[in-house]
Amino acid sequence: AGESPPHVAVGLSGGVDSAVTAWLLKTAGYPVTGVLMRNWDEAEETGGECGFEKDQRDARAAARAMGIPLTEVDFVREYWHAVFEPFLRDFDGGGATPNPDLACNRHIKFGALLHHCTHALGADLLATGHYARVEG
C-alpha cells in the first residue's frame, strides 16, 4: 500500500478560481478541506447584507457540490491590526503608496490562515486560487 496523499486546505473564497483549485485537487485524489476567511465586518458599516454573505453562500454551495467539508474562520481582528491600521498610518504619513493586499497576503492569507490550517485543521498544505509559493 502506498503512502496517503497530503491533506490540503483550500482557501475557498466563493469565487471560481478557488473552487476550481479545490476541484482539481479533489479529482487528483487529495483529501481537501475548504476554508472560508472573514477578514472584514462590512455589516458593521452598512447594517445590511455584505459581500461576505454572498461569498459565504457561494463557498458553501461549491463545497457542497464537490462533497468537501468547509470550515469558516474569522480573521477580522487580525486584519484590522495587521493590515488596516498600518494602511491608514502609511496613507496618512504620505511617505508611501500603501497596498493593503500585500500586507493581507503576508499577515492573513499566508500568516494567520496558513497557521490555522496547519495547526487547527491538521492540513499538510494550503492552496488558493492565486499563484504563490511560500516555503520555510
Side-chain angles (χ1 to χ4, degrees):
E3 202 174 300
S4 61
H7 173 208
V8 183
V10 176
L12 201 58
S13 66
V16 172
D17 295 345
S18 62
V20 169
T21 298
W23 179 80
L24 288 170
L25 287 163
K26 182 179 180 197
T27 58
Y30 291 91
V32 173
T33 299
V35 184
L36 175 65
M37 297 186 297
R38 177 190 290 264
N39 295 334
W40 190 259
D41 194 353
E42 193 175 326
E44 275 187 13
E45 296 173 24
T46 63
E49 181 176 86
C50 67
F52 175 79
E53 290 167 345
K54 180 189 180 313
D55 294 343
Q56 184 181 49
R57 282 193 305 272
D58 292 346
R60 287 176 177 174
R64 191 169 39 256
M66 288 183 274
I68 64 169
L70 177 68
T71 185
E72 299 177 22
V73 63
D74 187 320
F75 290 135
V76 170
R77 173 170 287 178
E78 291 87 343
Y79 185 90
W80 183 269
H81 293 294
V83 178
F84 192 65
E85 284 181 342
F87 166 79
L88 291 177
R89 279 195 305 274
D90 290 346
F91 186 77
D92 285 342
T97 303
N99 183 342
D101 289 338
L102 294 176
C104 182
N105 284 342
R106 181 180 309 115
H107 298 293
I108 307 301
K109 189 183 294 177
F110 301 117
L113 177 62
L114 178 59
H115 184 270
H116 175 81
C117 291
T118 57
H119 290 81
L121 299 180
D124 300 300
L125 302 168
L126 170 64
T128 71
H130 301 269
Y131 303 102
R133 178 172 292 211
V134 179
E135 297 177 3

